Amino acid sequence: AQSVTQLDSQVPVFEEAPVELRCNYSSSVSVYLFWYVQYPNQGLQLLLKYLSGSTLVKGINGFEAEFNKSQTSFHLRKPSVHISDTAEYFCAVISGRRALTFGSGTRLQVQP
Amino acid sequence: EPEVTQTPSHQVTQMGQEVILRCVPISNHLYFYWYRQILGQKVEFLVSFYNNEISEKSEIFDDQFSVERPDGSNFTLKIRSTKLEDSAMYFCASSRTVQETQYFGPGTRLLVL
């Protein structure tokens, strides 16, 4: 079985500060990992994904994530956040199953 | 840029009524999915569909749910007899292959009274 844990339900941060949103997964087989963002009253938009290759993945809007197999983590980072980054962020995994398994989400609240 | 569309954006229904949620996946995609998100909770997988049949479904997807691709463009989710606990945001998604990115629609917010 696969599962995803997002330890932080909310992350408040000031504008232009760096941020890290944590994601840990469990799976008995190799995985594909994703981060999606959900802006208020909108659907899910892909930020970035890890399928294979380089463990550091760059996505849209200046976000990046690093796949760490030994720690089963896929933390999302941005060196300097903007007010417009305020949203819900979901980590998700696909392994042997074909459907996405989502974490419970982290609400990023960027304050001026 | 092509996108997944969903209608209606909001649906209010009485308990026990049937609802049909509609989705138009991206045109060259072959895999289709429904997910739901109960308010304040995580996004949960319901069902995946490929080659005109269900390829996978979760425990949530019981006999009151069904999916259909009635024509070459639409993909529908039917809930036969809605319950209060079916109130949620329902997302449709599609992908070209099973390993490629799933693109999500904006969702249908279903409220069962």
Side-chain angles (χ1 to χ4, degrees):
Chain A
Q2 60 192 34
S3 66
V4 178
T5 301
Q6 292 182 245
L7 292 169
D8 307 303
S9 58
Q10 291 191 60
V11 173
V13 63
F14 288 107
E15 196 173 17
E16 297 184 8
V19 71
E20 178 180 84
L21 306 184
R22 296 181 292 169
C23 172
N24 289 88
Y25 68 92
S26 66
S27 173
S28 57
V29 297
S30 59
V31 295
Y32 301 132
L33 294 155
F34 304 81
W35 275 98
Y36 282 85
V37 60
Q38 185 179 29
Y39 298 104
N41 300 315
Q42 294 188 30
L44 296 163
Q45 181 182 2
L46 181 72
L47 271 181
L48 48 78
K49 61 186 176 185
Y50 171 79
L51 303 181
S52 64
S54 172
T55 57
L56 182 63
V57 180
K58 293 191 183 297
I60 62 171
N61 301 340
F63 284 93
E64 64 180 32
E66 185 155 20
F67 170 56
N68 188 319
K69 189 174 181 180
S70 62
Q71 296 188 7
T72 60
S73 68
F74 190 55
H75 300 332
L76 181 71
R77 301 185 185 101
K78 185 169 182 177
S80 176
V81 295
H82 303 291
I83 296 285
S84 58
D85 292 323
T86 294
E88 188 94 17
Y89 291 80
F90 292 94
C91 183
V93 63
I94 292 177
S95 62
R97 295 181 62 206
R98 297 172 192 173
L100 284 167
T101 296
F102 284 87
S104 53
T106 298
R107 180 167 299 279
L108 177 64
Q109 187 74 37
V110 182
Q111 303 163 347
Chain B
E1 185 178 320
E3 58 184 21
V4 177
T5 59
Q6 290 184 243
T7 54
S9 58
H10 294 78
Q11 173 97 44
V12 181
T13 190
Q14 295 289 326
M15 191 170 55
Q17 294 296 305
E18 174 183 287
V19 294
I20 298 176
L21 310 183
R22 291 182 167 80
C23 168
V24 179
I26 295 173
S27 61
N28 64 345
H29 286 188
L30 301 177
Y31 292 82
F32 314 119
Y33 312 84
W34 283 102
Y35 294 82
R36 79 172 184 190
Q37 184 182 27
I38 295 172
L39 188 63
Q41 297 186 25
K42 67 169 69 175
V43 178
E44 302 171 290
F45 167 71
L46 292 177
V47 65
S48 59
F49 192 85
Y50 170 71
N51 201 26
N52 284 320
E53 61 182 28
I54 291 174
S55 53
E56 186 182 1
K57 61 183 181 179
S58 71
E59 317 76 52
I60 303 167
F61 194 86
D62 60 23
D63 291 345
Q64 70 162 338
F65 291 94
S66 63
V67 288
E68 193 178 30
R69 189 155 164 81
D71 53 44
S73 58
N74 288 283
F75 179 52
T76 62
L77 174 69
K78 182 192 291 186
I79 309 175
R80 264 181 268 282
S81 177
T82 50
K83 304 172 191 163
L84 297 176
E85 54 265 35
D86 293 327
S87 295
M89 180 75 95
Y90 288 80
F91 291 107
C92 174
S94 69
S95 62
R96 251 190 338 165
T97 70
V98 71
Q99 289 148 347
E100 290 193 28
T101 301
Q102 293 181 25
Y103 291 87
F104 283 76
T108 293
R109 187 172 293 283
L110 176 65
L111 178 60
V112 182
L113 302 176

